[in-house]
C-alpha cells in the first residue's frame, strides 16, 4: 500500500443497451423525473435501471401508451413507495439485472424493503420486461424475482414476462406488440438502433509491461471521417468485433472529447484454450491502423458527474476501472475542482502503477487532494482498495460529511463487493442507502 497525502488542500445485436441510453439526455430534457406523489396516472411505467437502458425503454413505453390516448408516465422504482404501490392499478415494470442476479443500485431499497414485505396486491395489474445477459448465471435474475413477488402477492399479469437478452430485437418487438394491444394502436414507430461509426486505431500502448497480470493497453481511436462525436466523462464506447459482431463489448471512456481522441483501457482477455477474446484481441493485437473498427458511443447517465460536479469526489477503482475514473477526474480538474481523492488498486507498483506520471503530477500540483494506492502483490499479504477505506475510515467519514460523492469503477467480483462492504462497515448501512438515494454513490462495475 502506498499513501501520498501532501500539505492539505481543500479536498449483448442491433438493439443494444448502448442506443437506449444514448438518447436519454434528450428524453430528460422533455420529461424530467416525476415524483409519484404528483397527480396519479392511469398507467405507471416503472424502471429499475443501472446504466440507463431500462429508463430509456420506460420513456419509450410511456410514449407509446400516450400515443394511444392513455394517461401514462415513467418513474424510477426508487419513487415507488408502499403508498403509491397500494394505490396504483396498472404498472408496467422494466427491470434490469445487475451483476449476478442483483437489483440495480436504484432498486436496492425497493428490493430490500418493499419486496421484503407481504402487501396485498390483488388490485394491481402488471407486466414485466426483464433486461439481462444470458452469459451470466442468474440471467434476468431481478426481473424474475420481481415478477414472482408480484404474482405471489395477488397481482394479475397483463401478459407473460418478456425477457430481453442483451437487447434482443425479437423480445423488444414482442413488448411493443403488447403495448400496441394495450394502447389500441398499431402505428407506433419501431425502436431502431443506429449503426456503428467507422473508426481507426490512432495509437496503442502497453501500459503494464512485465506485469504478472494480463496485458492492459491504452487504445486511442479516431473517426475514419468527420469530427469526434459528443460524449461526457463517465460514458462508454461500444465495439462490435469482426469475430463476434452481434454481442458488442463495452469499455469505459478514459478521455474527454476536448483531448482530441477517444481513449480506452483494454485488458487483453484469453479464453480457456489460450485464444484471445473476440473484442479485446481485436483491439489489443489484431487491428492495424488501416483496419476499420466499428464503434458507437453510449451515454452512461448514472456514471456522469451531473449534480456531483462541484461536490468533493471519492474515486475508487482497480485495473482498467481507472479509465472511467480518469475521465471523471480530468473533467473536474479542467473545471478547476480540486477536492479529488483517488483510491486505486493493482498488482505490483513496479509494473502496474497505471498512469503514474499523470497521477503523481496531479497530486504534486494540488489537482488531487489524496492518492491512496494498494498493490496486492507487494508486501507480506494481499492488500486491496477496501483495506484502504478501512484504514482511512476517519477521513472517509469526514469527506462524506462534507457532502462528497463516491464513484466506483472496476471489477464486480472482489473489488466492488469488497468496497461496498467496507463502506457499510465504516459509514453504516443507512448512510450508504442514503448516498445511493441521493445519487452520491455510483458504480460502473463489470
Amino acid at each position: 500500500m502506498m499513501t501520498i497525502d501532501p500539505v492539505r488542500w481543500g479536498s449483448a445485436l442491433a438493439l443494444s443497451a448502448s442506443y437506449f441510453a444514448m438518447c436519454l439526455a434528450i428524453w430528460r430534457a422533455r420529461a424530467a423525473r416525476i415524483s409519484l406523489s404528483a397527480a396519479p396516472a392511469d398507467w405507471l411505467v416503472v424502471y429499475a435501471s443501472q446504466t440507463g437502458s431500462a429508463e430509456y425503454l420506460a420513456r419509450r413505453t410511456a410514449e407509446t401508451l400516450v400515443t394511444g390516448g392513455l394517461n401514462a408516465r415513467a418513474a424510477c422504482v426508487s419513487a415507488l413507495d408502499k403508498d403509491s404501490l397500494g394505490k396504483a392499478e396498472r404498472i408496467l415494470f422494466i427491470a434490469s439485472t445487475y451483476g449476478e442476479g442483483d437489483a440495480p443500485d436504484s432498486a436496492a431499497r425497493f428490493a430490500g424493503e418493499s419486496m421484503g414485505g407481504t402487501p396485498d396486491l390483488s388490485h394491481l395489474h402488471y407486466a414485466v420486461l426483464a433486461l439481462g445477459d444470458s452469459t451470466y448465471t442468474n440471467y434476468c435474475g431481478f426481473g424474475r424475482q420481481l415478477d414472482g413477488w408480484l404474482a405471489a402477492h395477488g397481482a394479475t399479469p397483463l401478459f407473460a414476462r418478456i425477457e430481453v437478452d442483451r437487447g434482443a430485437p425479437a423480445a423488444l418487438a414482442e413488448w411493443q406488440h403488447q403495448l400496441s394491444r394495450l394502447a389500441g394502436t398499431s402505428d407506433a414507430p419501431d425502436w431502431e438502433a443506429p449503426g456503428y461509426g467507422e473508426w481507426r486505431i490512432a495509437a496503442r500502448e502497453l501500459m503494464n509491461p512485465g506485469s504478472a497480470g494480463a496485458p492492459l493497453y491504452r487504445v486511442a481511436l479516431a473517426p475514419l471521417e468527420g469530427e469526434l462525436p459528443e460524449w461526457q466523462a463517465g460514458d462508454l464506447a461500444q465495439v462490435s468485433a469482426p469475430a463476434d459482431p452481434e454481442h458488442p463489448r463495452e469499455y469505459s471512456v478514459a478521455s474527454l472529447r476536448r483531448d482530441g481522441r477517444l481513449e480506452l483501457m483494454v485488458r487483453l482477455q484469453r479464453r480457456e484454450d489460450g485464444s484471445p477474446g473476440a473484442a479485446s484481441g481485436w483491439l489489443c493485437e489484431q487491428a492495424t491502423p488501416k483496419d476499420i473498427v466499428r464503434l458507437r458511443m453510449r451515454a452512461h447517465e448514472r456514471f456522469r458527474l451531473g449534480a456531483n460536479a462541484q461536490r468533493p469526489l471519492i474515486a475508487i477503482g482497480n485495473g482498467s476501472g481507472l479509465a472511467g475514473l480518469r475521465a471523471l477526474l480530468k473533467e473536474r480538474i479542467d473545471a478547476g475542482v480540486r477536492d479529488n481523492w483517488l483510491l486505486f488498486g493493482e498488482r505490483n507498483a513496479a509494473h502496474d502503477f497505471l498512469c503514474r506520471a499523470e497521477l503523481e503530477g496531479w497530486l504534486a500540483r494540488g489537482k488531487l487532494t489524496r492518492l491512496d494506492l494498494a498493490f496486492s502483490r507487494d508486501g507480506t499479504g494481499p492488500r486491496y482498495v477496501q483495506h484502504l477505506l478501512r484504514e482511512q475510515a476517519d477521513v472517509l467519514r469526514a469527506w462524506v460529511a462534507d457532502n462528497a460523492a463516491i464513484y466506483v469503477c472496476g471489477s464486480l467480483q472482489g473489488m466492488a463487493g469488497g468496497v461496498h462492504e467496507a463502506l457499510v462497515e465504516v459509514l453504516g448501512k443507512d448512510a450508504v442507502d442514503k448516498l445511493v438515494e441521493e445519487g452520491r454513490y455510483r458504480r460502473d462495475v463489470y
Side-chain angles (χ1 to χ4, degrees):
M1 186 274 290
M2 177 179 182
T3 301
I4 310 175
D5 190 2
V7 177
R8 300 177 84 175
W9 303 88
S11 192
L13 135 123
L15 196 54
S16 68
S18 71
Y19 174 59
F20 302 151
M22 250 171 39
C23 302
L24 198 51
I26 298 173
W27 278 96
R28 288 189 175 187
R30 296 175 53 192
R33 178 174 163 181
I34 302 171
S35 169
L36 293 184
S37 62
D42 294 334
W43 291 81
L44 288 178
V45 184
V46 173
Y47 55 85
S49 187
Q50 184 69 31
T51 61
S53 304
E55 182 174 354
Y56 173 76
L57 282 174
R59 300 204 183 281
R60 295 302 303 267
T61 294
E63 181 190 50
T64 297
L65 296 177
V66 170
T67 299
L70 301 180
N71 179 11
R73 62 175 178 173
C76 180
V77 68
S78 62
L80 188 64
D81 56 18
K82 180 179 179 181
D83 183 62
S84 54
L85 185 63
K87 293 178 180 177
E89 296 183 359
R90 304 174 188 86
I91 303 181
L92 303 181
F93 290 90
I94 302 181
S96 294
T97 290
Y98 198 43
E100 290 291 349
D102 297 327
D105 290 342
S106 63
R109 175 164 292 185
F110 179 84
E113 295 180 1
S114 296
M115 292 178 63
T118 58
D120 177 9
L121 300 179
S122 58
H123 60 282
L124 179 65
H125 290 74
Y126 78 97
V128 174
L129 181 70
L131 310 183
D133 183 338
S134 61
T135 63
Y136 286 83
T137 302
N138 296 315
Y139 169 58
C140 287
F142 178 62
R144 291 176 177 180
Q145 294 168 24
L146 175 62
D147 186 27
W149 177 77
L150 291 164
H153 292 88
T156 302
L158 294 162
F159 49 87
R161 180 182 68 247
I162 296 176
E163 297 181 349
V164 184
D165 185 6
R166 291 167 288 183
L172 290 171
E174 175 60 20
W175 180 256
Q176 280 193 281
H177 168 73
Q178 295 292 349
L179 295 180
S180 296
R181 181 178 63 80
L182 294 175
T185 181
S186 60
D187 58 356
D190 290 335
W191 302 344
E192 295 181 357
Y196 291 89
E198 294 186 340
W199 295 65
R200 64 177 180 83
I201 292 180
R204 184 164 51 204
E205 170 197 4
L206 178 62
M207 302 183 72
N208 60 343
S211 174
L216 181 66
Y217 288 84
R218 187 202 305 259
V219 181
L221 301 107
L224 205 61
E225 296 180 356
E227 299 181 351
L228 287 167
E230 296 288 341
W231 76 81
Q232 294 184 32
D235 287 351
L236 307 172
Q238 189 176 58
V239 174
S240 175
D244 191 8
E246 301 303 323
H247 310 318
R249 273 64 167 185
E250 292 183 335
Y251 300 94
S252 298
V253 176
S255 60
L256 305 179
R257 188 178 186 273
R258 54 181 167 268
D259 295 331
R261 63 184 190 176
L262 175 70
E263 291 187 6
L264 311 176
M265 295 181 187
V266 183
R267 181 84 68 179
L268 178 60
Q269 304 292 336
R270 293 197 178 275
R271 303 184 181 96
E272 292 184 0
D273 63 3
S275 61
S280 65
W282 170 246
L283 291 173
C284 295
E285 295 183 333
Q286 299 157 5
T288 72
K290 295 182 180 180
D291 287 316
I292 293 175
V293 177
R294 300 178 65 239
L295 180 148
R296 60 188 176 192
M297 302 305 298
R298 176 208 198 297
H300 191 350
E301 293 284 337
R302 284 190 57 80
F303 207 65
R304 290 178 172 178
L305 289 171
N308 297 318
Q310 298 299 315
R311 290 189 174 111
L313 177 68
I314 304 170
I316 307 169
N318 69 334
S320 61
L322 183 60
L325 300 179
R326 177 180 183 257
L328 294 171
L329 291 169
K330 282 174 64 66
E331 182 75 25
R332 290 168 60 84
I333 289 169
D334 287 357
V337 183
R338 298 191 170 198
D339 45 357
N340 304 306
W341 178 11
L342 174 63
L343 302 98
F344 176 70
E346 251 290 356
R347 290 172 180 254
N348 303 105
H351 304 289
D352 303 297
F353 193 160
L354 308 178
C355 300
R356 181 171 190 164
E358 180 177 55
L359 296 179
E360 290 184 336
W362 285 348
L363 186 70
R365 296 191 296 275
K367 296 179 179 181
L368 282 180
T369 302
R370 293 184 64 97
L371 175 61
D372 288 81
L373 304 169
F375 293 104
S376 61
R377 300 297 179 89
D378 292 345
T380 58
R383 298 184 65 76
Y384 305 105
V385 287
Q386 51 264 43
H387 295 120
L388 299 178
L389 290 171
R390 292 186 174 94
E391 291 167 3
Q392 303 296 336
D394 289 342
V395 179
L396 174 62
R397 283 189 285 263
W399 277 62
V400 171
D402 195 32
N403 207 31
I406 300 172
Y407 280 62
V408 181
C409 191
S411 58
L412 175 65
Q413 299 297 329
M415 189 279 293
V419 165
H420 186 79
E421 291 175 1
L423 291 174
V424 170
E425 179 181 317
V426 173
L427 302 174
K429 184 178 183 302
D430 289 344
V432 173
D433 288 344
K434 184 178 180 181
L435 289 172
V436 173
E437 185 177 352
E438 294 176 349
R440 291 171 53 201
Y441 176 26
R442 303 189 179 198
R443 303 193 298 172
D444 177 16
V445 296
Y446 39 84

